[in-house]
């Protein structure tokens, strides 16, 4: 790691209690503590959140768009996984 | 020393006041927040019991996967059982944020110190039971889970939202099985009636003992772990099930059921609480079988966990070799 080549971190912010942390962007820092402080300084300047997570970008494993076919396609032929596949008789008010 | 203890207690009281203030203003408690130990323990008990129920709940339905009457029915049932496994995972993971390990929870289940929903100790004798379980058991679970979407612990609330989205397919597929049987041949209709008769009462027991008998209720309501009481949720379920039974053209299992204009609810028969406590305490038809099966599956899966660990070690050794 050099001055020009700090580590890349991904930043996640929880907008309010009860909600999931949401990815908001990334930044460079020399370590986790600094990343957290930088994230506070740049991503939460207008009370965007109440909690921040920083994760080294290289620690994230991501699926590739090219693999989408084998990753996600099998769901397409399983419409029976959705409630709407089973029509509800109009006599039934709530289910 | 004495002074320090007093300060600690004062601090604790202040922390507890802030904690309760968050809850009173409908803010969620998140994993790294301070929380009273009893709140943490109460959640661990309730959430792990919920997770165990999802996992043990796979057994009564798994019993019918190979005997489903058509390929489509088999695919649907398989898909539902897969969902239950996923729900178990969501809930175990959410429980782990409270500082208990997965292994500890599994041990508690297998040694009987942790409970799971007693409904799963009833045997599934006919295909009709797949209908009744999806419709009534999942229906009762949904009633409870919709309410828990507003529970005060963030990770629990978020798992409930995810689970409820998936759960409504479970109830509908069950009800569809019931419609087909109830509107089918006399023998099929009889099967539907029999399943309804057997699963109606245990489904009502899923909401737990009467509010007056519930050990944790007052505190759970104050902490908003529970948002509605056992009896209120049960009443809601009783009310909404009436028109569903009518549509099927089946006889309502509760002969004393009657609309009460004044209360705006149905009055219903008292449940057989002796049966409830007997099943909870291990004497249902299938209690021993369910746990034995879980232990067996866990032990038979040991080689997979060992292989995973061996593969991980191999990869690390290769990484170290390549670096050298």
């Amino acid at each position: 790691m050099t001055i020009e080549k700090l580590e890349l971190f991904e930043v996640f912010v929880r907008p309010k209690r009860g909600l999931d942390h949401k990815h908001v962007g990334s930044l460079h820092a020399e370590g986790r503590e600094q990343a957290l402080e930088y994230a506070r300084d740049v991503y939460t300047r207008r009370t965007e959140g109440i909690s921040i997570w920083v994760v080294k970008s290289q620690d994230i494993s991501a699926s590739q768009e090219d693999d989408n076919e084998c990753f996600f396609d099998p769901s397409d032929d399983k419409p029976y996984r959705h409630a709407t596949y089973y029509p509800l008789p109009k006599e039934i008010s709530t289910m | 020393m004495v002074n320090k203890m007093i300060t600690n207690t004062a601090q604790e009281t202040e922390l507890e006041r802030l904690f309760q203030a968050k809850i009173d203003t409908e803010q969620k408690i998140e994993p790294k927040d301070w929380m009273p130990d009893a709140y943490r323990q109460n959640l661990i008990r309730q959430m792990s019991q919920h997770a165990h129920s999802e996992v043990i709940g796979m057994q009564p339905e798994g019993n019918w996967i190979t005997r489903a009457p058509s390929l489509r029915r088999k695919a649907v049932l398989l898909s539902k059982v897969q969902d239950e496994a996923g729900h178990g995972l969501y809930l175990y993971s959410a429980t782990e944020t409270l500082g208990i390990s997965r292994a500890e929870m599994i041990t508690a289940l297998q040694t009987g110190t942790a409970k799971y929903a007693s409904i799963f100790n009833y045997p599934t004798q006919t295909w009709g039971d797949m209908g009744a379980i999806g419709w009534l058991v999942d229906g009762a679970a949904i009633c409870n889970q919709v309410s828990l979407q507003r529970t005060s612990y963030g990770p629990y609330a978020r798992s409930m939202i995810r689970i409820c989205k998936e759960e409504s397919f479970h109830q509908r597929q069950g009800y569809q099985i019931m419609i087909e049987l109830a509107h089918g041949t006399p023998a099929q209709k009889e099967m539907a009636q029999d399943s309804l008769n057997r699963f109606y009462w245990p489904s009502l027991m899923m909401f737990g003992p009467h509010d007056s008998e519930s050990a944790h209720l007052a505190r759970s309501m104050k902490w908003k772990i529970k948002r509605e009481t056992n009896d209120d949720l049960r009443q809601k379920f009783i009310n909404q099930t009436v028109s569903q039974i009518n549509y099927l053209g089946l006889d309502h299992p509760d002969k004393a059921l009657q609309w009460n204009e004044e209360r705006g609810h149905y009055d219903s028969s008292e449940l057989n609480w002796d049966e409830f406590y007997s099943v909870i305490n291990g004497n249902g038809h299938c209690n021993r079988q369910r746990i034995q099966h879980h232990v067996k599956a866990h032990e038979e899966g040991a080689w997979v966990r060992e292989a995973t660990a061996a593969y991980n070690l191999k990869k690390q050794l290769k990484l170290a070799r390549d670096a050298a």
Side-chain angles (χ1 to χ4, degrees):
Chain A
M1 186 177 59
T2 64
I3 290 214
E4 292 77 27
K5 210 165 171 278
L6 295 172
E7 263 194 284
L8 188 61
F9 285 83
E10 301 298 326
V11 181
F12 301 80
V13 172
R14 186 199 297 289
K16 61 181 255 203
R17 284 174 177 282
L19 299 180
D20 290 308
H21 284 78
K22 188 169 182 289
H23 185 242
V24 291
S26 48
L27 48 74
H28 286 174
E30 58 77 24
R32 306 190 315 178
E33 285 78 16
Q34 192 180 54
L36 210 48
E37 285 167 11
Y38 281 179
R40 174 201 60 194
D41 292 347
V42 293
Y43 286 109
T44 59
R45 295 166 63 198
R46 292 170 186 80
T47 56
E48 281 90 342
I50 53 119
S51 163
I52 302 173
W53 283 350
V54 290
V55 182
K56 279 186 194 169
S57 307
Q58 62 166 20
D59 285 344
I60 293 181
S61 305
S63 68
Q64 299 300 310
E65 194 88 19
D66 292 348
D67 298 334
N68 276 6
E69 210 171 306
C70 57
F71 242 72
F72 303 112
D73 261 11
S75 326
D76 287 346
D77 61 359
K78 296 179 176 60
Y80 51 81
R81 284 180 175 168
H82 297 272
T84 45
Y85 178 78
Y86 309 89
L88 209 53
K90 59 181 184 311
E91 290 85 348
I92 306 298
S93 49
T94 47
M95 180 172 281
Chain B
M1 187 65 198
V2 172
N3 272 341
K4 193 163 171 257
M5 275 172 65
I6 290 168
T7 327
N8 282 348
T9 320
Q11 265 174 359
E12 195 114 312
T13 314
E14 177 59 11
L15 285 169
E16 186 143 9
R17 195 188 60 76
L18 289 171
F19 165 83
Q20 189 64 46
K22 275 183 204 146
I23 289 182
D24 291 343
T25 52
E26 290 297 322
Q27 298 186 63
K28 300 290 180 213
I29 304 302
E30 295 294 347
K32 293 188 191 278
D33 293 343
W34 184 90
M35 58 187 90
D37 195 49
Y39 177 82
R40 188 185 297 277
Q41 296 312 325
N42 196 331
L43 275 172
I44 289 176
R45 182 185 53 77
Q46 182 174 327
M47 290 169 70
S48 66
Q49 180 176 324
H50 200 156
H52 298 325
S53 301
E54 300 282 356
V55 169
I56 295 294
M58 290 193 283
Q59 291 187 39
E61 292 184 302
N63 183 32
W64 279 90
I65 290 175
T66 55
R67 289 178 285 163
S70 71
L71 188 55
R72 188 179 71 90
R73 286 292 179 197
K74 194 191 290 261
V76 170
L77 188 57
L78 194 57
S79 191
K80 177 180 189 299
V81 173
Q82 282 178 323
D83 275 357
E84 309 299 0
H87 296 174
L89 173 68
Y90 301 164
L91 283 160
Y92 280 129
S93 305
T95 316
E96 281 171 82
T97 64
L98 291 159
I100 186 171
S101 72
R102 187 86 54 104
E104 285 173 286
M105 288 188 269
I106 302 291
T107 304
L109 170 68
Q110 294 187 343
T111 54
T113 46
K115 305 263 189 250
Y116 54 88
S118 59
I119 187 93
F120 301 121
N121 292 316
Y122 290 82
T124 44
Q125 301 172 18
T126 67
W127 174 250
D129 291 358
M130 295 304 97
I133 287 182
W135 167 39
L136 297 172
V137 176
D138 287 71
I142 290 171
C143 238
N144 188 33
Q145 290 171 160
V146 163
S147 174
L148 286 173
Q149 291 182 109
R150 296 188 303 122
T151 188
S152 60
Y153 187 55
Y156 194 21
R158 290 190 287 277
S159 338
M160 284 298 110
I161 292 168
R162 224 155 276 146
I163 287 175
C164 282
K165 263 189 211 155
E166 301 179 1
E167 200 82 49
S168 70
F169 133 57
H170 297 179
Q171 191 185 18
R172 296 244 192 134
Q173 65 83 33
Y175 194 61
Q176 203 196 39
I177 292 175
M178 293 303 282
I179 293 178
E180 281 176 24
L181 291 177
H183 297 170
T185 66
Q188 285 175 317
K189 188 171 179 182
E190 197 179 316
M191 181 187 276
Q193 183 70 58
D194 172 59
S195 296
L196 168 60
N197 292 348
R198 280 184 291 111
F199 277 94
Y200 181 74
W201 303 105
S203 300
L204 298 187
M205 292 180 195
M206 284 174 69
F207 295 98
H210 277 311
D211 297 348
S212 52
E213 305 288 319
S214 174
H216 310 278
L217 185 67
R219 210 174 53 183
S220 289
M221 294 295 284
K222 176 177 171 235
W223 281 337
K224 298 187 180 172
I225 292 175
K226 285 192 178 179
R227 302 308 305 257
E228 289 169 272
T229 72
N230 297 352
D231 284 332
D232 286 351
L233 287 166
R234 182 165 23 240
Q235 182 72 61
K236 206 180 254 187
F237 181 73
I238 289 171
N239 291 352
Q240 75 188 33
T241 308
V242 173
S243 69
Q244 295 163 8
I245 294 175
N246 276 344
Y247 178 77
L248 294 174
L250 298 177
D251 294 331
H252 200 293
D254 187 351
K255 301 297 170 224
L257 189 92
Q258 199 164 25
W259 177 250
N260 183 325
E261 191 67 47
E262 202 175 310
R263 290 203 309 132
H265 290 295
Y266 282 94
D267 290 337
S268 52
S269 301
E270 191 51 85
L271 300 177
N272 182 349
W273 294 108
D274 290 341
E275 177 183 321
F276 173 77
Y277 286 109
S278 163
V279 177
I280 276 202
N281 291 324
N283 301 315
H285 282 289
C286 303
N287 296 56
R288 276 167 291 274
Q289 186 191 336
R290 297 295 184 234
I291 293 302
Q292 273 166 11
H293 184 81
H294 190 277
V295 171
K296 181 166 166 273
H298 193 67
E299 282 170 0
E300 286 176 356
W303 72 271
V304 180
R305 295 188 291 278
E306 280 159 22
T308 309
Y311 177 64
N312 184 266
L313 183 67
K314 193 172 118 185
K315 266 199 317 193
Q316 281 180 15
L317 289 176
K318 184 173 184 306
L319 220 63
R321 250 199 332 271
D322 291 352

